[in-house]
Amino acid sequence: MPEKQQSPTGRPRDPDVSERLIAAALEEYARTGWQSFTMQGVARRAGVGKSALYRRWTTKEELLIAGVESVALPLSETSDSGNLREDLTDAATRILHHFLDPTGWATLRISVDSTASPTMLDPFQERVTQAIRSGITAIFTHAADRGELTSDVPVRPLVESLVGSILVHVLSMPFDVRDDARQNAAAHVEPLVDVIMRAASPQPCP
Amino acid sequence: MPEKQQSPTGRPRDPDVSERLIAAALEEYARTGWQSFTMQGVARRAGVGKSALYRRWTTKEELLIAGVESVALPLSETSDSGNLREDLTDAATRILHHFLDPTGWATLRISVDSTASPTMLDPFQERVTQAIRSGITAIFTHAADRGELTSDVPVRPLVESLVGSILVHVLSMPFDVRDDARQNAAAHVEPLVDVIMRAASPQPCP
Amino acid sequence: MPEKQQSPTGRPRDPDVSERLIAAALEEYARTGWQSFTMQGVARRAGVGKSALYRRWTTKEELLIAGVESVALPLSETSDSGNLREDLTDAATRILHHFLDPTGWATLRISVDSTASPTMLDPFQERVTQAIRSGITAIFTHAADRGELTSDVPVRPLVESLVGSILVHVLSMPFDVRDDARQNAAAHVEPLVDVIMRAASPQPCP
Amino acid sequence: MPEKQQSPTGRPRDPDVSERLIAAALEEYARTGWQSFTMQGVARRAGVGKSALYRRWTTKEELLIAGVESVALPLSETSDSGNLREDLTDAATRILHHFLDPTGWATLRISVDSTASPTMLDPFQERVTQAIRSGITAIFTHAADRGELTSDVPVRPLVESLVGSILVHVLSMPFDVRDDARQNAAAHVEPLVDVIMRAASPQPCP
DNA sequence: TATTAAACGAGACGGTACGTCGCGTCTTCTT
DNA sequence: AAGAAGACGCGACGTACCGTCTCGTTTAATA
């Protein structure tokens, strides 16, 4: 969700203003979420007039998406070590950190909030939610290419299971465990990757 | 999250007012989510003074939780057919419908929003999030009792995978597919249950 | 303005409650006037339920008048030393103190406020405003009886001049002079009594 | 009490909004006084947002003073006919009308209410109360210049007597006499001016 | 170099929600 | 029936943010 088109004539927009606005938006949102996220506050924190803000993004959602996609997009880049479990563990660890980070968590918030109405979903989903999914999908595709995966296993449910399990894991995590999860990410991620690996493996002999 | 304690002396609270407030809260929230969810609006819709509302619940979260837990708690009751796949499919279908319902979706929204701060998480998680998890956990426990499950499979990651996969499935669903999901729930749920069944099954012969 | 009639049957009213209410009313009003004078606050300060208050007086005005007339009525009792100037000075001094006292000042406030509407004026004026006037009127009557006053001087304007001059004197007094006025009342009163004495005296020889 | 200072930068305030607010304030106050005088109501009647009102005046008092001083200030301009009695009668008549007018009466109300606390008194007194006093003081000064007044008569008590007598006269006036006072102002004013004239005249031969 | 059109900060504007408090009425239990 | 307690619908309080709108000033591309 880039900023709105500007007129070709006249003084050009100051790119520094855009940057400061996006940074301010993420900081404000990370504080306490929707509750205290105000356009006014973003402009104030950025040291910018309200007009400069509204000129670029008309709604809170547009502004947040602009800020959040820069954070989420890197998740689509995954490693390719030649070993499925290793790649999955690496990706899962990064997703776990993503959901444990305030700014990363914002991704989910916006996604959840925008799922309610048809208007907002599409632009955001294509950019953020899909970014996460596509990275893991690639891992499976590579593994299948290597023959590490029986071809009869559908990939999409596996991806949804892995991403979803990490999400629910964080979602149902008591607050004082979050620090532990940040430091011992591997221990938290391993059982979840295990589930996927079992499901992806060839089934027992009949 | 029940309403705040009332004093033993004086005129007792009108339970009808509480009911109207909760109903109004769910209706308002289902409209467009946080955006247009105002205490003022809830009281107005319920035909009730603001004081009667604030007397019972101080914050929007408290109010929403009160309304939402009546919707979420039934999810903890699961079937016990004697067949693991059948029970999982049944539970998963209900969870899918839960997340496709505006009021049910509110459950997730609140959960996501409250995860940011330590204050809100605990009461809500224990009541709603855990309700969903505990139902599925029971299914696995029963299956293990029946010997349908190899004892070396940890249950918790399986639960998180199932719940999470349904969640991500809905989360990444284009808006115009939602109606289809409501009507053909089985088709949407089956691949996800499959993943869990594979992961829960005894592993291939070495 | 006595309290409202009570039913002849049933439990009689507690007179102590009435007293505490009136005392509380005066204290509350003396604090910052109309601004912070609330029925709720009076009942709270008196340690009494709201119903006990509303049972006795329906409006703030009724309650205040009940409280204020006990303070104002003594002003109608004046000295009779046999000397006009002396009596006037004595009465004027007491009126000055009355207007310098927070509770006494409340008398004026209520009077001024109630003058706007026809409903409240009569009961209050007869009791309070007239109390002040009648005392001074009596002084002039006695002086006339003694022959100290030429009979052609109308009394009413003299009374109004004396009371009014004290009132305006206080009204236009800088705040930090009020303490001085309390201690050196005679110095403040003398010039005003002088004016009245000159006006009441026989006129210059032609 | 002018409106609060505005910043030199940014969009300037709309003077029309200020005018509408002051007019609305006077109308609201004239209705039933303090009782029903609400900031909310003033803004509503003026067709203005509450913010525009609070931006200019923070309290009811400030707002009322702004509205009232435009009404009271003209009282400081008095006639100078060369005849003391005539000038006094003229001034007294105008003051009488001032106190009989709802808006003019507000002057007194505010004055009385603000006398209780030190904060409010000064700005109001200097502008309104003194305006009335200074006009009459000027009349006496001119008369003294003409030799119409014996120099040993102090002016201030005379002024206080005149203004005060009119005030008390109105204050103790039954409601149904007010109309008569408006129409036959001369008859009401004459006895009061008489008192002042007698007091101001040279005293009887010893 | 002078013109010009938009960007920019600041903040006014009519609204509306916030959470609190007082209004006057009512309902409950206790004295 | 009095009394203490407090719930009830209502609306004002003063603050903050909404999105739009003027202001005066700055800035780069065009004429």
Side-chain angles (χ1 to χ4, degrees):
Chain A
M1 174 89 5
E3 54 193 74
K4 289 194 296 191
Q5 198 67 29
Q6 79 160 306
S7 166
T9 83
R11 172 177 170 183
R13 289 195 191 139
D14 185 344
D16 182 49
V17 167
S18 300
E19 284 172 28
R20 273 187 291 156
L21 280 171
I22 287 194
L26 286 175
E27 292 168 25
E28 285 284 300
Y29 191 79
R31 280 207 305 147
T32 36
W34 268 114
Q35 289 289 39
S36 63
F37 180 72
T38 69
M39 298 294 262
Q40 208 122 319
V42 170
R44 200 187 305 127
R45 179 186 285 262
V48 151
K50 280 202 293 177
S51 39
L53 172 52
Y54 278 102
R55 197 174 290 122
R56 291 169 167 80
W57 302 281
T58 310
T59 67
K60 294 185 185 183
E61 287 83 4
E62 283 179 20
L63 172 56
L64 268 182
I65 290 174
V68 137
E69 64 182 8
S70 62
V71 179
L73 290 182
L75 284 179
S76 62
E77 301 164 15
T78 47
S79 61
D80 187 2
S81 67
N83 178 276
L84 177 57
R85 173 180 291 270
E86 202 170 309
D87 288 346
L88 285 182
T89 303
D90 179 67
T93 305
R94 289 167 60 201
I95 294 177
L96 176 65
H97 278 123
H98 175 74
F99 283 142
L100 285 171
D101 177 68
T103 311
W105 188 249
T107 304
L108 181 63
R109 276 187 179 169
I110 300 171
S111 185
V112 166
D113 248 26
S114 55
T115 299
S117 63
T119 49
M120 290 303 310
L121 182 66
D122 296 346
F124 183 74
Q125 200 179 57
E126 287 168 16
R127 294 171 180 277
V128 181
T129 309
Q130 293 300 54
I132 299 177
R133 296 173 50 124
S134 68
I136 303 188
T137 304
I139 293 176
F140 281 112
T141 308
H142 295 161
D145 290 349
R146 288 193 306 266
E148 234 185 309
L149 216 56
T150 39
S151 59
D152 65 332
V153 183
V155 168
R156 186 175 161 151
L158 287 174
V159 175
E160 290 175 345
S161 285
L162 182 57
V163 177
S165 63
I166 302 171
L167 175 52
V168 168
H169 186 74
V170 174
L171 207 53
S172 57
M173 185 184 293
F175 199 79
D176 51 340
V177 181
R178 298 171 73 93
D179 265 343
D180 176 70
R182 262 181 278 262
Q183 283 154 20
N184 308 321
H188 285 262
V189 153
E190 202 207 338
L192 305 175
V193 173
D194 260 0
V195 167
I196 302 305
M197 286 303 293
R198 283 163 160 267
S201 302
Q203 286 304 295
C205 23
Chain B
M1 173 94 356
E3 55 191 76
K4 288 193 294 191
Q5 198 65 30
Q6 79 160 305
S7 162
T9 77
R11 173 175 171 179
R13 290 198 191 135
D14 186 343
D16 182 50
V17 167
S18 301
E19 286 173 26
R20 273 186 290 156
L21 280 172
I22 287 195
L26 288 175
E27 292 169 24
E28 284 283 300
Y29 191 79
R31 279 206 307 146
T32 35
W34 267 113
Q35 289 289 38
S36 64
F37 181 72
T38 68
M39 298 296 259
Q40 207 120 315
V42 170
R44 198 187 306 126
R45 178 185 285 262
V48 151
K50 276 200 293 177
S51 39
L53 172 53
Y54 278 102
R55 198 175 289 125
R56 290 171 167 78
W57 302 281
T58 310
T59 66
K60 295 184 184 183
E61 287 82 4
E62 283 180 21
L63 171 56
L64 272 182
I65 290 173
V68 139
E69 67 179 6
S70 63
V71 179
L73 288 183
L75 285 179
S76 62
E77 300 164 15
T78 46
S79 60
D80 187 1
S81 66
N83 179 276
L84 176 57
R85 173 181 290 271
E86 201 171 310
D87 287 346
L88 285 181
T89 303
D90 179 66
T93 305
R94 289 168 61 200
I95 294 177
L96 176 65
H97 279 123
H98 175 74
F99 284 141
L100 286 170
D101 178 68
T103 310
W105 188 250
T107 305
L108 182 62
R109 278 188 179 171
I110 300 170
S111 186
V112 166
D113 249 25
S114 55
T115 299
S117 64
T119 48
M120 288 300 310
L121 182 66
D122 295 346
F124 183 74
Q125 200 179 59
E126 285 169 17
R127 292 172 181 278
V128 180
T129 308
Q130 293 299 54
I132 298 178
R133 296 173 50 123
S134 69
I136 303 188
T137 304
I139 292 177
F140 282 111
T141 309
H142 294 161
D145 291 347
R146 287 194 306 267
E148 231 184 314
L149 215 56
T150 42
S151 59
D152 65 331
V153 182
V155 169
R156 189 177 159 151
L158 288 175
V159 175
E160 290 176 344
S161 286
L162 182 57
V163 176
S165 64
I166 302 172
L167 177 51
V168 168
H169 186 74
V170 173
L171 208 53
S172 57
M173 186 182 292
F175 200 78
D176 52 340
V177 181
R178 298 171 74 93
D179 265 343
D180 176 68
R182 262 181 278 263
Q183 282 154 20
N184 308 320
H188 285 261
V189 153
E190 202 207 339
L192 306 175
V193 173
D194 261 359
V195 167
I196 303 304
M197 286 303 293
R198 283 163 160 271
S201 301
Q203 287 305 293
C205 20
Chain C
M1 174 91 5
E3 54 192 75
K4 289 194 295 190
Q5 198 67 32
Q6 78 161 306
S7 165
T9 82
R11 171 176 166 183
R13 288 196 191 139
D14 184 344
D16 182 50
V17 166
S18 301
E19 284 173 26
R20 273 187 291 156
L21 280 172
I22 286 194
L26 287 176
E27 292 168 24
E28 285 283 301
Y29 191 79
R31 281 206 306 148
T32 34
W34 267 113
Q35 290 288 40
S36 64
F37 180 73
T38 69
M39 298 294 262
Q40 209 121 319
V42 169
R44 199 188 306 128
R45 178 186 285 263
V48 152
K50 279 201 295 177
S51 39
L53 172 53
Y54 277 101
R55 197 174 290 122
R56 290 171 167 79
W57 301 281
T58 310
T59 67
K60 294 185 184 182
E61 287 83 2
E62 282 180 21
L63 171 56
L64 268 183
I65 290 174
V68 136
E69 64 182 7
S70 63
V71 179
L73 290 183
L75 284 179
S76 62
E77 301 162 15
T78 47
S79 61
D80 187 3
S81 67
N83 178 277
L84 177 57
R85 173 181 290 270
E86 202 170 308
D87 288 347
L88 285 182
T89 301
D90 179 67
T93 304
R94 289 167 60 199
I95 294 176
L96 176 65
H97 278 122
H98 174 75
F99 283 142
L100 285 171
D101 177 69
T103 311
W105 187 251
T107 305
L108 180 63
R109 275 188 180 169
I110 299 171
S111 185
V112 166
D113 248 26
S114 54
T115 300
S117 64
T119 48
M120 290 303 310
L121 181 65
D122 297 346
F124 183 75
Q125 198 180 60
E126 285 169 17
R127 293 172 181 277
V128 180
T129 310
Q130 293 300 54
I132 299 177
R133 297 173 50 123
S134 69
I136 303 186
T137 305
I139 293 177
F140 281 113
T141 308
H142 295 159
D145 290 348
R146 289 193 306 268
E148 232 185 311
L149 216 56
T150 41
S151 59
D152 65 331
V153 182
V155 169
R156 187 176 161 154
L158 288 174
V159 175
E160 291 175 343
S161 286
L162 182 57
V163 176
S165 63
I166 302 171
L167 176 53
V168 168
H169 186 74
V170 173
L171 208 52
S172 56
M173 185 183 293
F175 199 78
D176 51 339
V177 180
R178 297 170 75 93
D179 266 342
D180 176 69
R182 262 182 278 263
Q183 283 154 20
N184 308 321
H188 285 261
V189 153
E190 202 207 338
L192 305 175
V193 173
D194 259 1
V195 167
I196 302 304
M197 288 302 294
R198 283 164 160 269
S201 302
Q203 287 305 293
C205 21
Chain D
M1 173 97 354
E3 57 191 74
K4 288 193 294 190
Q5 198 66 30
Q6 79 159 304
S7 163
T9 78
R11 174 174 170 180
R13 292 199 191 134
D14 186 343
D16 181 51
V17 167
S18 300
E19 286 173 26
R20 274 186 290 157
L21 280 171
I22 288 194
L26 288 175
E27 292 168 25
E28 285 283 301
Y29 192 79
R31 280 206 308 146
T32 36
W34 267 113
Q35 291 288 39
S36 64
F37 181 73
T38 69
M39 298 294 260
Q40 206 120 316
V42 170
R44 199 187 305 126
R45 178 186 286 262
V48 151
K50 278 201 292 177
S51 39
L53 172 52
Y54 279 101
R55 199 174 290 126
R56 291 169 168 78
W57 302 280
T58 310
T59 66
K60 295 184 183 182
E61 287 82 4
E62 282 181 19
L63 171 55
L64 273 181
I65 290 173
V68 138
E69 67 180 7
S70 63
V71 180
L73 289 183
L75 285 179
S76 63
E77 300 163 15
T78 46
S79 58
D80 187 3
S81 66
N83 178 276
L84 177 58
R85 172 179 292 269
E86 203 171 309
D87 288 347
L88 285 182
T89 302
D90 179 67
T93 305
R94 289 169 60 201
I95 294 177
L96 177 64
H97 278 122
H98 175 74
F99 283 142
L100 286 171
D101 177 69
T103 310
W105 187 249
T107 305
L108 182 62
R109 277 187 177 170
I110 300 170
S111 185
V112 165
D113 249 25
S114 55
T115 299
S117 64
T119 49
M120 289 300 310
L121 181 66
D122 295 346
F124 182 74
Q125 200 179 60
E126 283 169 19
R127 293 171 180 277
V128 181
T129 309
Q130 293 299 55
I132 299 179
R133 296 173 48 124
S134 69
I136 303 187
T137 304
I139 293 177
F140 282 112
T141 308
H142 295 160
D145 290 349
R146 288 193 306 265
E148 235 186 308
L149 217 55
T150 40
S151 58
D152 65 332
V153 183
V155 168
R156 188 176 159 152
L158 288 175
V159 175
E160 290 176 343
S161 286
L162 182 58
V163 176
S165 63
I166 302 171
L167 176 52
V168 168
H169 186 74
V170 173
L171 206 52
S172 57
M173 185 184 292
F175 200 77
D176 52 338
V177 181
R178 297 170 75 93
D179 264 344
D180 176 68
R182 262 181 278 263
Q183 282 152 21
N184 307 321
H188 285 261
V189 154
E190 203 208 337
L192 306 175
V193 172
D194 260 1
V195 167
I196 303 304
M197 287 302 294
R198 283 162 158 271
S201 301
Q203 288 302 295
C205 23

